[in-house]
Amino acid sequence: MADGSEKNAVVSNKKVIFKDYVSGFPKESNMVVTIDENLKLKVTGDSKNILVKNHYLSCDPYMRLLMKNQSTEIFDPYTPGAPITGLGVSKVIDSRNPELKEGDLFWGITGWEEYSLLKSSEGLLTIQLLVNFYFYKMIKGMPGLTAYGGFYEVCAPKKGEYVFVSAASGAVGQLVGQFAKLMGCYVVGSAGTQDKVELLKNKFGFDDAFNYKEEPDLNAAVKRYFPEGIDIYFENVGGKMLDAVLLNMRVRGLIAVCGMISQYNCDQPEGVHNLMSIVYKRVRIEGFAVADYYPQYSKFLDFILPYIREGKIKYVEDIVEGLENGPTALIGLFNGRNVGKQVVVVASQ
């Protein structure tokens, strides 16, 4: 297969195709890997299209929502018979768009395929190789900007506050916990295995952590770690965890809702029963999306680069090699198989 350096080259293009809308827990069989044999590595016509080679693809829980035949109001659902899409790191092979030129690296929404023809540069953030490419892949990409925007902009933390992070060993949660420690907060995280609990405490520096699967009473568990209540809850889970947290928030506490992975495979979402705690304790709940913070990307880089250079931010990723293994990696998010950020390597540098 050509690497994109040959002008007018024709290559095969492996793709992960979405078969049809999903009810309940997704399966690998909801996707199929196909190959198109005759892709020209050249943009033709008068369009502003961008032809890219995809290097790294990000597996993210929100992608399950796009497998339903309904809009999220942020992303449109997947189209049966077309490649699934998600965030990735890509390199421009050819471009008619003035915003991106041949050889540029960027991260943004792309197809789950070896090569993608993008119709717009909107939402694509270029990468400058100022530090190791690894950090651009994840810390400086979607998880980093999500953690930064959600924690610093939505939560507006103060030194000494009590912070709880659910799904804390995941792509975003591990960074939120470290940001909170850098702020001088007390931080506890929840995760689904004892190995992940140890990772939170021993690698990421959380003050404490617990395995929610071993807790018969989540309310009691949260109260055990926060006897004086929670100032900030960074929400990634929803459902029973959110119910327990609501009972343990402090007066005028804040809940930043990044996601609710426990609900993504439910045909009927679980109810939340302790909502009156919002009134009693004057709790503020605010949802957000990473796209809200694209305009602050430069500010985010100024913030994160010194910490990366000083080795003050640690990160764990779960690497899967080969696009053909992408469906397995994506489905693994929903049974806790991954440790850290799940990445599919389509092509090395």
Side-chain angles (χ1 to χ4, degrees), residues 49-345:
N49 290 351
I50 308 158
L51 180 66
V52 306
K53 181 173 184 176
N54 297 312
H55 286 260
Y56 300 92
L57 298 174
S58 173
C59 295
D60 296 297
Y62 81 89
M63 296 168 72
R64 171 62 184 89
L65 299 175
L66 309 189
M67 296 181 178
K68 299 178 181 181
N69 190 14
Q70 63 186 56
S71 174
T72 66
E73 299 186 15
I74 298 174
F75 298 106
D76 292 327
Y78 291 143
T79 301
I84 67 172
T85 59
L87 287 153
V89 173
S90 309
K91 184 177 182 179
V92 177
I93 301 299
D94 191 28
S95 175
R96 294 290 182 98
N97 192 302
E99 299 297 322
L100 288 167
K101 64 182 184 300
E102 180 181 344
D104 281 350
L105 287 166
F106 67 89
W107 72 269
I109 296 293
T110 189
W112 272 44
E113 50 194 347
E114 292 176 299
Y115 297 90
S116 294
L117 186 66
L118 306 182
K119 301 295 180 67
S120 169
S121 61
E122 184 178 359
L124 305 181
L125 301 179
T126 55
I127 294 170
Q128 304 297 323
L129 288 178
L130 302 176
V131 295
N132 189 294
F133 192 72
Y134 161 81
F135 290 106
Y136 275 108
K137 253 186 351 219
M138 293 305 130
I139 295 181
K140 296 179 68 182
M142 188 275 287
L145 188 56
T146 304
Y148 172 82
F151 186 63
Y152 288 102
E153 300 295 328
V154 177
C155 298
K158 301 178 182 65
K159 183 178 180 179
E161 288 190 316
Y162 295 87
V163 177
F164 179 43
V165 184
S166 57
S169 66
V172 175
Q174 59 180 277
L175 291 173
V176 171
Q178 292 179 81
F179 292 167
K181 288 306 300 177
L182 290 170
M183 279 291 300
C185 298
Y186 171 79
V187 187
V188 175
S190 64
T193 69
Q194 194 57 38
D195 286 344
K196 292 179 180 179
V197 167
E198 296 305 317
L199 188 69
L200 294 175
K201 294 192 292 186
N202 299 328
K203 186 176 182 67
F204 300 135
F206 282 59
D207 293 289
D208 219 327
F210 65 93
N211 181 352
Y212 70 91
K213 292 181 180 179
E214 295 181 349
E215 299 290 346
D217 184 339
L218 285 175
N219 176 30
V222 174
K223 192 177 297 293
R224 184 167 73 247
Y225 289 95
F226 293 97
E228 298 180 28
I230 300 167
D231 292 299
I232 293 172
Y233 173 44
F234 199 92
E235 166 70 298
N236 290 305
V237 172
K240 294 180 176 63
M241 184 65 80
L242 176 57
D243 241 352
V245 168
L246 284 170
L247 293 175
N248 289 280
M249 292 297 295
R250 301 180 81 173
V251 172
R252 302 197 186 282
L254 184 140
I255 298 175
V257 183
C258 181
M260 292 189 177
I261 193 171
S262 73
Q263 304 303 296
Y264 296 167
N265 298 314
C266 298
D267 290 332
Q268 293 295 325
E270 294 176 334
V272 178
H273 305 284
N274 296 321
L275 291 174
M276 278 305 295
S277 292
I278 300 170
V279 178
Y280 301 150
K281 299 180 180 181
R282 284 83 80 197
V283 174
R284 180 163 66 92
I285 301 178
E286 183 173 341
F288 69 96
V290 66
D292 299 340
Y293 299 100
Y294 284 174
Q296 298 190 39
Y297 188 58
S298 295
K299 180 181 176 183
F300 163 63
L301 292 183
D302 290 341
F303 163 82
I304 198 70
L305 273 172
Y307 288 126
I308 292 175
R309 293 185 179 117
E310 295 166 17
K312 291 184 177 180
I313 295 289
K314 298 179 173 62
Y315 205 73
V316 170
E317 59 181 1
D318 198 326
I319 297 292
V320 169
E321 297 277 351
L323 185 60
E324 64 278 5
N325 296 313
T328 302
L330 180 57
I331 298 304
L333 291 181
F334 303 102
N335 57 29
R337 185 165 54 205
N338 63 299
V339 178
K341 175 64 188 173
Q342 184 69 69
V343 181
V344 177
V345 179

